Amino acid sequence: MSPQQLNMAAVGFRNWARALSKGKQPGFSALFSQVRAASGPSKGMLPGPYPQTPEERAAAAKKYNMRVEDYEPIPDNGEGYGDYPQLPDRSQHERDPWYSWDHPDLRRNWGEPIHWDFDMFIRNRVDTSPSPVAWHTMCKHLFGFVGFMLLMFYLGEKFPSYQPVAPKQYPYSNLHLERGEDPEKQPEEVKHFNI
Amino acid sequence: MADYREAPLATRPKTLDPAEYFNLSLDQRRAEEERAGLRAQLKRQYQMQLNNPHRKELIEDPALTRWVYARTNPYNHFRATKKTSLLGGLFGVVPLFVLYYVLKTDRDKKEEQIKAGTYDRKFKLAY
Protein backbone atom coordinates (compact mmCIF):
# COMPACT_ATOMS: atom_id res chain seq x y z
CA MET A 1 0.00 0.00 0.00
CA SER A 2 1.29 3.48 -0.75
CA PRO A 3 2.03 5.82 2.16
CA GLN A 4 -1.08 7.91 1.55
CA GLN A 5 -3.24 4.81 1.63
CA LEU A 6 -1.61 3.84 4.93
CA ASN A 7 -2.28 7.36 6.14
CA MET A 8 -5.89 7.01 5.13
CA ALA A 9 -6.19 3.68 6.85
CA ALA A 10 -4.63 5.11 10.00
CA VAL A 11 -7.00 8.08 9.94
CA GLY A 12 -9.98 5.78 9.51
CA PHE A 13 -8.85 3.54 12.34
CA ARG A 14 -8.19 6.43 14.68
CA ASN A 15 -11.59 7.83 13.87
CA TRP A 16 -13.26 4.53 14.55
CA ALA A 17 -11.48 4.16 17.89
CA ARG A 18 -12.41 7.70 18.85
CA ALA A 19 -16.04 7.13 17.91
CA LEU A 20 -16.15 3.98 20.00
CA SER A 21 -14.56 5.56 23.04
CA LYS A 22 -16.64 8.73 23.29
CA GLY A 23 -19.36 8.46 20.65
CA LYS A 24 -22.78 9.80 21.49
CA GLN A 25 -24.42 6.64 20.22
CA PRO A 26 -23.81 3.70 22.49
CA GLY A 27 -22.40 0.39 21.35
CA PHE A 28 -22.60 -0.93 17.81
CA SER A 29 -24.10 2.12 16.12
CA ALA A 30 -21.06 4.16 17.16
CA LEU A 31 -19.08 2.24 14.53
CA PHE A 32 -21.20 3.70 11.73
CA SER A 33 -21.00 7.39 12.68
CA GLN A 34 -20.84 9.80 9.77
CA VAL A 35 -18.01 11.78 11.39
CA ARG A 36 -14.81 11.94 9.31
CA ALA A 37 -11.47 13.53 10.17
CA ALA A 38 -10.89 16.96 8.56
CA SER A 39 -7.32 16.14 7.54
CA GLY A 40 -8.32 14.28 4.38
CA PRO A 41 -10.01 15.60 1.26
CA SER A 42 -13.22 17.58 1.61
CA LYS A 43 -16.57 15.94 0.87
CA GLY A 44 -16.72 17.72 -2.49
CA MET A 45 -13.46 16.16 -3.65
CA LEU A 46 -14.47 12.57 -2.95
CA PRO A 47 -16.67 10.43 -5.21
CA GLY A 48 -20.38 10.98 -4.67
CA PRO A 49 -23.71 9.71 -5.92
CA TYR A 50 -24.65 9.41 -9.58
CA PRO A 51 -25.08 12.90 -11.09
CA GLN A 52 -28.68 13.69 -11.98
CA THR A 53 -28.51 17.25 -13.29
CA PRO A 54 -26.10 18.78 -15.85
CA GLU A 55 -24.66 21.01 -13.11
CA GLU A 56 -23.80 17.95 -11.05
CA ARG A 57 -22.20 16.43 -14.13
CA ALA A 58 -20.07 19.51 -14.71
CA ALA A 59 -19.02 19.58 -11.09
CA ALA A 60 -18.14 15.91 -11.17
CA ALA A 61 -16.12 16.37 -14.38
CA LYS A 62 -14.20 19.19 -12.76
CA LYS A 63 -13.62 17.09 -9.68
CA TYR A 64 -12.13 14.25 -11.71
CA ASN A 65 -9.97 16.59 -13.86
CA MET A 66 -11.84 15.69 -17.04
CA ARG A 67 -13.55 17.70 -19.77
CA VAL A 68 -17.31 17.93 -19.35
CA GLU A 69 -17.76 16.33 -22.77
CA ASP A 70 -15.39 13.47 -21.91
CA TYR A 71 -16.91 12.77 -18.51
CA GLU A 72 -19.33 9.83 -18.66
CA PRO A 73 -20.31 8.25 -15.33
CA ILE A 74 -20.58 4.48 -15.12
CA PRO A 75 -24.25 3.61 -15.77
CA ASP A 76 -26.23 3.56 -12.56
CA ASN A 77 -27.42 -0.01 -12.05
CA GLY A 78 -27.26 -0.12 -8.28
CA GLU A 79 -23.85 -1.77 -8.12
CA GLY A 80 -22.35 1.09 -6.13
CA TYR A 81 -20.22 2.97 -8.69
CA GLY A 82 -21.69 6.38 -7.84
CA ASP A 83 -20.42 9.15 -10.10
CA TYR A 84 -17.11 7.47 -10.93
CA PRO A 85 -16.24 8.02 -14.61
CA GLN A 86 -16.33 5.27 -17.21
CA LEU A 87 -12.85 5.31 -18.76
CA PRO A 88 -11.86 3.20 -21.80
CA ASP A 89 -10.96 -0.37 -20.87
CA ARG A 90 -7.38 -0.09 -22.02
CA SER A 91 -4.53 -1.76 -20.20
CA GLN A 92 -1.42 0.17 -19.20
CA HIS A 93 0.48 -2.00 -21.69
CA GLU A 94 -1.02 0.09 -24.47
CA ARG A 95 0.34 3.39 -23.26
CA ASP A 96 3.36 4.95 -24.89
CA PRO A 97 6.49 3.47 -23.30
CA TRP A 98 8.68 6.37 -24.45
CA TYR A 99 6.65 9.28 -23.05
CA SER A 100 7.96 10.72 -19.78
CA TRP A 101 5.22 9.62 -17.39
CA ASP A 102 5.26 10.89 -13.81
CA HIS A 103 5.07 7.25 -12.67
CA PRO A 104 6.88 5.32 -15.42
CA ASP A 105 6.17 1.81 -14.16
CA LEU A 106 2.45 2.50 -14.00
CA ARG A 107 2.56 4.63 -17.18
CA ARG A 108 0.40 7.21 -15.49
CA ASN A 109 0.60 10.91 -14.76
CA TRP A 110 -0.11 12.49 -11.38
CA GLY A 111 -3.74 13.52 -11.03
CA GLU A 112 -4.95 11.55 -14.04
CA PRO A 113 -8.34 9.84 -13.42
CA ILE A 114 -7.79 6.20 -12.55
CA HIS A 115 -9.82 3.47 -14.21
CA TRP A 116 -12.08 1.53 -11.84
CA ASP A 117 -10.15 -1.66 -12.67
CA PHE A 118 -6.74 0.01 -12.67
CA ASP A 119 -5.21 -2.69 -10.50
CA MET A 120 -6.24 -5.23 -13.12
CA PHE A 121 -4.75 -3.23 -16.01
CA ILE A 122 -1.25 -2.73 -14.59
CA ARG A 123 1.64 -4.09 -16.59
CA ASN A 124 1.95 -7.28 -14.59
CA ARG A 125 -1.64 -8.28 -15.28
CA VAL A 126 -4.30 -8.06 -17.97
CA ASP A 127 -3.02 -6.89 -21.34
CA THR A 128 -5.50 -5.52 -23.87
CA SER A 129 -2.91 -4.50 -26.46
CA PRO A 130 -3.40 -5.74 -30.03
CA SER A 131 -1.94 -9.14 -30.83
CA PRO A 132 0.76 -9.26 -33.54
CA VAL A 133 -1.16 -11.85 -35.57
CA ALA A 134 -4.91 -11.73 -36.12
CA TRP A 135 -6.96 -13.68 -33.63
CA HIS A 136 -8.63 -15.97 -36.14
CA THR A 137 -5.23 -16.93 -37.56
CA MET A 138 -3.91 -17.74 -34.10
CA CYS A 139 -6.98 -19.81 -33.28
CA LYS A 140 -6.80 -21.68 -36.57
CA HIS A 141 -3.12 -22.48 -36.16
CA LEU A 142 -3.37 -23.64 -32.57
CA PHE A 143 -6.54 -25.67 -32.76
CA GLY A 144 -5.59 -27.00 -36.17
CA PHE A 145 -2.29 -28.34 -34.93
CA VAL A 146 -3.64 -29.73 -31.67
CA GLY A 147 -6.63 -31.27 -33.41
CA PHE A 148 -4.45 -32.86 -36.07
CA MET A 149 -2.09 -34.36 -33.49
CA LEU A 150 -4.99 -35.72 -31.46
CA LEU A 151 -6.52 -37.29 -34.55
CA MET A 152 -3.27 -38.92 -35.61
CA PHE A 153 -2.56 -40.33 -32.16
CA TYR A 154 -6.10 -41.70 -31.99
CA LEU A 155 -5.71 -43.38 -35.38
CA GLY A 156 -2.36 -44.75 -34.26
CA GLU A 157 -4.03 -46.36 -31.27
CA LYS A 158 -6.80 -47.79 -33.38
CA PHE A 159 -4.56 -49.15 -36.21
CA PRO A 160 -1.20 -50.09 -34.65
CA SER A 161 1.66 -50.80 -37.05
CA TYR A 162 4.95 -52.44 -36.06
CA GLN A 163 7.59 -54.90 -37.32
CA PRO A 164 6.29 -58.48 -37.50
CA VAL A 165 7.29 -60.43 -34.38
CA ALA A 166 7.23 -64.10 -33.42
CA PRO A 167 7.81 -65.88 -30.08
CA LYS A 168 11.49 -66.06 -29.09
CA GLN A 169 13.29 -69.18 -30.23
CA TYR A 170 15.85 -70.75 -27.84
CA PRO A 171 18.73 -73.05 -28.92
CA TYR A 172 19.87 -76.37 -27.41
CA SER A 173 16.47 -77.99 -27.69
CA ASN A 174 14.69 -75.12 -26.08
CA LEU A 175 17.44 -74.89 -23.37
CA HIS A 176 16.68 -78.41 -22.21
CA LEU A 177 19.55 -78.72 -19.68
CA GLU A 178 19.43 -75.11 -18.45
CA ARG A 179 15.79 -75.45 -17.59
CA GLY A 180 16.74 -78.25 -15.17
CA GLU A 181 15.14 -81.16 -16.98
CA ASP A 182 16.46 -84.72 -16.83
CA PRO A 183 19.78 -84.90 -18.82
CA GLU A 184 19.22 -88.60 -19.71
CA LYS A 185 15.79 -87.99 -21.14
CA GLN A 186 15.74 -87.21 -24.83
CA PRO A 187 14.23 -83.79 -25.51
CA GLU A 188 11.44 -83.47 -28.02
CA GLU A 189 12.33 -82.11 -31.42
CA VAL A 190 10.96 -78.59 -32.05
CA LYS A 191 11.18 -77.37 -35.63
CA HIS A 192 11.37 -73.58 -35.91
CA PHE A 193 11.81 -73.25 -39.66
CA ASN A 194 11.21 -74.82 -43.00
CA ILE A 195 13.83 -74.67 -45.64
CA MET B 1 -1.64 -2.76 -43.06
CA ALA B 2 -4.72 -1.72 -44.96
CA ASP B 3 -6.36 -5.04 -44.11
CA TYR B 4 -5.39 -5.00 -40.45
CA ARG B 5 -8.03 -6.62 -38.34
CA GLU B 6 -7.75 -6.24 -34.59
CA ALA B 7 -8.21 -9.20 -32.25
CA PRO B 8 -11.68 -9.50 -30.67
CA LEU B 9 -10.62 -8.64 -27.14
CA ALA B 10 -7.78 -6.31 -28.06
CA THR B 11 -7.82 -2.76 -29.34
CA ARG B 12 -6.63 -1.04 -32.44
CA PRO B 13 -3.45 0.98 -31.81
CA LYS B 14 -3.97 4.72 -31.94
CA THR B 15 -1.55 5.07 -34.86
CA LEU B 16 -3.72 2.76 -37.01
CA ASP B 17 -6.97 4.50 -36.12
CA PRO B 18 -8.38 5.99 -39.35
CA ALA B 19 -10.07 8.75 -37.36
CA GLU B 20 -6.63 10.11 -36.53
CA TYR B 21 -5.81 10.51 -40.18
CA PHE B 22 -9.06 11.72 -41.67
CA ASN B 23 -10.87 13.37 -38.78
CA LEU B 24 -9.11 16.68 -38.58
CA SER B 25 -12.16 18.84 -37.83
CA LEU B 26 -11.75 21.92 -35.70
CA ASP B 27 -13.88 20.45 -32.93
CA GLN B 28 -11.61 17.41 -32.67
CA ARG B 29 -8.54 19.60 -32.56
CA ARG B 30 -10.08 21.89 -29.93
CA ALA B 31 -11.00 18.85 -27.84
CA GLU B 32 -7.45 17.51 -28.07
CA GLU B 33 -6.07 20.91 -27.11
CA GLU B 34 -8.35 21.13 -24.09
CA ARG B 35 -7.26 17.69 -22.97
CA ALA B 36 -3.64 18.67 -23.45
CA GLY B 37 -4.33 21.80 -21.40
CA LEU B 38 -5.72 19.78 -18.50
CA ARG B 39 -2.76 17.41 -18.72
CA ALA B 40 -0.33 20.33 -18.69
CA GLN B 41 -2.01 21.82 -15.62
CA LEU B 42 -1.68 18.57 -13.72
CA LYS B 43 1.92 18.16 -14.85
CA ARG B 44 2.69 21.67 -13.65
CA GLN B 45 1.12 21.06 -10.24
CA TYR B 46 3.07 17.86 -9.83
CA GLN B 47 6.39 19.35 -10.90
CA MET B 48 5.95 22.35 -8.60
CA GLN B 49 5.44 20.04 -5.67
CA LEU B 50 8.16 17.63 -6.74
CA ASN B 51 10.87 20.25 -7.17
CA ASN B 52 9.93 22.33 -4.15
CA PRO B 53 13.11 22.30 -1.99
CA HIS B 54 11.13 23.00 1.20
CA ARG B 55 8.82 20.02 0.77
CA LYS B 56 9.27 17.42 3.48
CA GLU B 57 6.13 15.34 3.08
CA LEU B 58 4.99 12.94 0.34
CA ILE B 59 3.03 14.29 -2.61
CA GLU B 60 -0.57 13.24 -2.17
CA ASP B 61 -2.45 12.24 -5.33
CA PRO B 62 -6.15 13.18 -5.03
CA ALA B 63 -7.04 10.96 -7.98
CA LEU B 64 -5.63 8.00 -6.09
CA THR B 65 -7.50 9.01 -2.93
CA ARG B 66 -10.73 9.21 -4.89
CA TRP B 67 -10.11 5.85 -6.53
CA VAL B 68 -9.41 4.13 -3.24
CA TYR B 69 -12.44 5.77 -1.64
CA ALA B 70 -14.69 4.76 -4.55
CA ARG B 71 -13.46 1.17 -4.52
CA THR B 72 -13.81 0.74 -0.76
CA ASN B 73 -17.22 2.41 -0.33
CA PRO B 74 -19.55 0.95 -2.95
CA TYR B 75 -22.31 0.25 -0.44
CA ASN B 76 -23.05 3.95 -0.04
CA HIS B 77 -24.58 3.88 -3.51
CA PHE B 78 -25.74 0.28 -3.55
CA ARG B 79 -29.33 -0.39 -4.55
CA ALA B 80 -31.11 -3.73 -4.55
CA THR B 81 -32.07 -4.19 -8.21
CA LYS B 82 -32.92 -7.38 -10.04
CA LYS B 83 -29.35 -7.89 -11.16
CA THR B 84 -27.70 -7.12 -7.86
CA SER B 85 -30.15 -9.31 -5.95
CA LEU B 86 -29.60 -12.13 -8.41
CA LEU B 87 -25.82 -11.85 -8.12
CA GLY B 88 -25.99 -11.61 -4.35
CA GLY B 89 -28.21 -14.67 -4.16
CA LEU B 90 -26.06 -16.60 -6.64
CA PHE B 91 -22.79 -15.96 -4.88
CA GLY B 92 -23.94 -15.76 -1.28
CA VAL B 93 -26.99 -17.91 -0.73
CA VAL B 94 -26.96 -20.67 -3.33
CA PRO B 95 -23.46 -21.98 -2.55
CA LEU B 96 -24.46 -22.54 1.06
CA PHE B 97 -27.32 -24.82 0.14
CA VAL B 98 -25.55 -26.50 -2.76
CA LEU B 99 -22.44 -27.23 -0.74
CA TYR B 100 -24.48 -28.55 2.18
CA TYR B 101 -26.45 -30.83 -0.11
CA VAL B 102 -23.43 -32.12 -2.01
CA LEU B 103 -21.27 -32.74 1.05
CA LYS B 104 -24.10 -34.31 3.02
CA THR B 105 -25.04 -36.79 0.29
CA ASP B 106 -21.41 -37.67 -0.31
CA ARG B 107 -20.73 -38.27 3.35
CA ASP B 108 -23.95 -40.23 3.80
CA LYS B 109 -23.05 -42.48 0.90
CA LYS B 110 -19.62 -43.09 2.37
CA GLU B 111 -21.16 -43.85 5.77
CA GLU B 112 -23.50 -46.39 4.19
CA GLN B 113 -20.59 -48.03 2.42
CA ILE B 114 -18.55 -48.19 5.60
CA LYS B 115 -21.48 -49.71 7.47
CA ALA B 116 -22.01 -52.28 4.71
CA GLY B 117 -18.27 -53.01 4.61
CA THR B 118 -17.87 -52.13 0.91
CA TYR B 119 -15.84 -48.93 1.33
CA ASP B 120 -12.58 -49.12 -0.60
CA ARG B 121 -9.89 -47.13 1.21
CA LYS B 122 -7.32 -46.17 -1.34
CA PHE B 123 -3.92 -44.90 -0.17
CA LYS B 124 -4.33 -46.31 3.30
CA LEU B 125 -1.09 -46.03 5.25
CA ALA B 126 -1.93 -47.95 8.39
CA TYR B 127 -3.94 -51.12 8.28
Side-chain angles (χ1 to χ4, degrees):
Chain A
M1 277 209 283
S2 81
Q4 60 221 55
Q5 284 176 344
L6 279 171
N7 269 341
M8 272 189 50
V11 161
F13 180 75
R14 218 178 328 124
N15 201 31
W16 176 84
R18 199 184 302 136
L20 263 187
S21 56
K22 56 176 169 92
K24 296 193 199 73
Q25 314 97 320
F28 194 67
S29 48
L31 288 170
F32 295 96
S33 80
Q34 300 300 314
V35 175
R36 215 164 39 84
S39 54
S42 61
K43 209 54 182 270
M45 292 304 287
L46 285 176
Y50 188 83
Q52 309 289 352
T53 66
E55 292 87 27
E56 283 180 13
R57 260 181 192 251
K62 190 160 158 54
K63 173 171 73 177
Y64 288 110
N65 292 325
M66 295 171 79
R67 283 173 72 233
V68 181
E69 295 85 359
D70 288 339
Y71 172 72
E72 186 61 48
I74 301 178
D76 185 25
N77 52 9
E79 287 180 358
Y81 291 111
D83 65 355
Y84 207 83
Q86 172 71 283
L87 295 159
D89 291 335
R90 304 268 194 271
S91 151
Q92 300 301 94
H93 286 91
E94 294 193 27
R95 298 209 175 186
D96 186 1
W98 298 106
Y99 175 79
S100 57
W101 301 99
D102 293 335
H103 305 296
D105 51 339
L106 297 172
R107 290 188 186 165
R108 184 184 157 263
N109 283 322
W110 183 89
E112 192 188 317
I114 303 181
H115 193 286
W116 184 270
D117 290 319
F118 179 73
D119 49 351
M120 180 173 82
F121 285 132
I122 59 171
R123 283 164 63 205
N124 272 329
R125 298 183 181 171
V126 171
D127 180 5
T128 60
S129 47
S131 49
V133 181
W135 190 265
H136 64 286
T137 314
M138 289 199 287
C139 281
K140 259 189 273 190
H141 286 181
L142 177 68
F143 293 124
F145 177 72
V146 169
F148 176 72
M149 295 309 289
L150 282 173
L151 177 75
M152 292 311 284
F153 274 109
Y154 174 72
L155 289 177
E157 283 293 321
K158 261 270 171 314
F159 307 112
S161 141
Y162 42 84
Q163 292 281 3
V165 288
K168 189 156 175 62
Q169 300 166 1
Y170 294 95
Y172 302 113
S173 315
N174 205 17
L175 295 175
H176 185 81
L177 292 174
E178 282 80 0
R179 286 200 295 139
E181 304 220 0
D182 192 6
E184 302 299 322
K185 188 162 144 230
Q186 280 288 55
E188 56 274 7
E189 281 287 330
V190 180
K191 210 157 184 347
H192 292 298
F193 51 85
N194 275 326
I195 294 180
Chain B
M1 268 297 165
D3 55 352
Y4 175 83
R5 204 171 14 141
E6 58 263 355
L9 296 173
T11 53
R12 183 176 270 258
K14 205 153 188 282
T15 43
L16 288 182
D17 187 6
E20 289 268 316
Y21 291 99
F22 305 121
N23 218 335
L24 302 169
S25 70
L26 284 175
D27 286 332
Q28 294 270 338
R29 288 180 189 238
R30 205 172 293 129
E32 284 296 330
E33 279 186 24
E34 279 182 33
R35 285 185 204 122
L38 279 170
R39 252 199 313 266
Q41 292 278 345
L42 290 170
K43 276 272 195 192
R44 182 183 167 276
Q45 278 183 33
Y46 181 62
Q47 291 293 331
M48 293 289 276
Q49 285 179 286
L50 190 67
N51 300 324
N52 181 5
H54 300 295
R55 174 176 65 87
K56 286 199 291 287
E57 63 278 337
L58 292 164
I59 305 177
E60 180 198 336
D61 188 354
L64 186 66
T65 317
R66 277 192 288 271
W67 179 70
V68 171
Y69 182 85
R71 283 284 292 260
T72 48
N73 298 319
Y75 294 110
N76 293 346
H77 309 295
F78 177 80
R79 264 190 358 252
T81 66
K82 283 204 288 277
K83 180 176 170 200
T84 55
S85 320
L86 182 72
L87 284 173
L90 215 58
F91 280 96
V93 176
V94 166
L96 289 172
F97 292 98
V98 165
L99 273 174
Y100 167 79
Y101 178 72
V102 166
L103 290 172
K104 188 93 172 66
T105 42
D106 186 49
R107 301 257 176 106
D108 284 345
K109 221 182 300 174
K110 199 158 101 168
E111 181 67 27
E112 272 176 36
Q113 280 185 324
I114 293 174
K115 285 206 176 122
T118 57
Y119 181 58
D120 168 35
R121 269 170 67 212
K122 298 190 180 115
F123 313 120
K124 55 177 180 244
L125 294 174
Y127 184 72

